[in-house]
Amino acid sequence: MSGRGERPVGIDELLERVRTGLGRIEPQEAYEAARAGEALLVDIRYAALRERDGLIPGALVVERNELEWRLDPRGSHRAPEATGHDLRVVVICNEGYASSLAAESLHRLGLHRATDLVGGFQAWRTAGLPVTPVADAELQRPAEGR
């Protein structure tokens, strides 16, 4: 038993539970929402993956361990893009697993429209959507902070 009186779950069951409340989106929909100014794309991949595979133009790069501090609209370390709890955030990891857990964590902070990208960055790239090589991109470092 866990401390809350619930039985422990494995990661596959946890992912299934978390994803039922996310309204996950496909790459093309995320691309169109971002272009229309209706969603903030947030890339939580670690630096080695960004360097290897490139960046999504316009995506906010935030290391996973800083995500909640940078996107909490009331937080002292928030990114300028964290404008309110109604912000539609699309979290992007490499393959769409860690991003589901990250989006669920944002829900707990009150970002009720947070979701993640089905298939992650790899699905974005496979869909032929824009990717900028790191060497060609403007300097996009993870946000400073906690």
Side-chain angles (χ1 to χ4, degrees):
M1 286 289 202
S2 71
R4 295 183 189 166
E6 300 172 5
R7 70 172 178 80
V9 298
I11 189 63
D12 293 331
E13 184 177 342
L14 179 62
L15 272 172
E16 185 178 325
R17 287 182 187 182
V18 163
R19 287 175 171 171
T20 62
L22 290 181
R24 303 178 77 215
I25 65 173
E26 298 288 335
Q28 188 65 43
E29 181 183 352
Y31 173 70
E32 291 168 7
R35 283 193 63 199
E38 298 169 356
L40 174 64
L41 304 182
V42 179
D43 186 345
I44 64 168
R45 293 175 300 141
Y46 53 90
L49 289 175
R50 294 191 311 269
E51 290 170 11
R52 182 188 78 189
D53 294 337
L55 300 168
I56 295 173
L60 176 65
V61 175
V62 178
E63 295 282 345
R64 172 61 189 100
N65 64 327
E66 298 178 352
L67 183 68
E68 291 81 0
W69 283 274
R70 302 301 285 156
L71 291 183
D72 179 0
R74 296 184 298 186
S76 59
H77 297 295
R78 75 172 183 83
E81 295 86 348
T83 56
H85 287 95
D86 198 41
L87 181 65
R88 185 177 186 197
V89 175
V90 179
V91 182
I92 303 167
C93 67
N94 194 48
E95 295 181 343
Y97 294 97
S99 57
S100 295
L101 299 175
E104 192 270 339
S105 180
L106 294 178
H107 275 238
R108 285 186 266 142
L109 282 176
L111 292 156
H112 63 96
R113 296 180 67 207
T115 189
D116 75 320
L117 187 67
V118 175
F121 178 87
Q122 297 305 323
W124 177 281
R125 185 170 64 177
T126 298
L129 295 170
V131 173
T132 305
V134 171
D136 297 342
E138 290 184 77
L139 186 59
Q140 292 189 24
R141 288 188 221 163
E144 298 296 323
R146 290 189 169 202

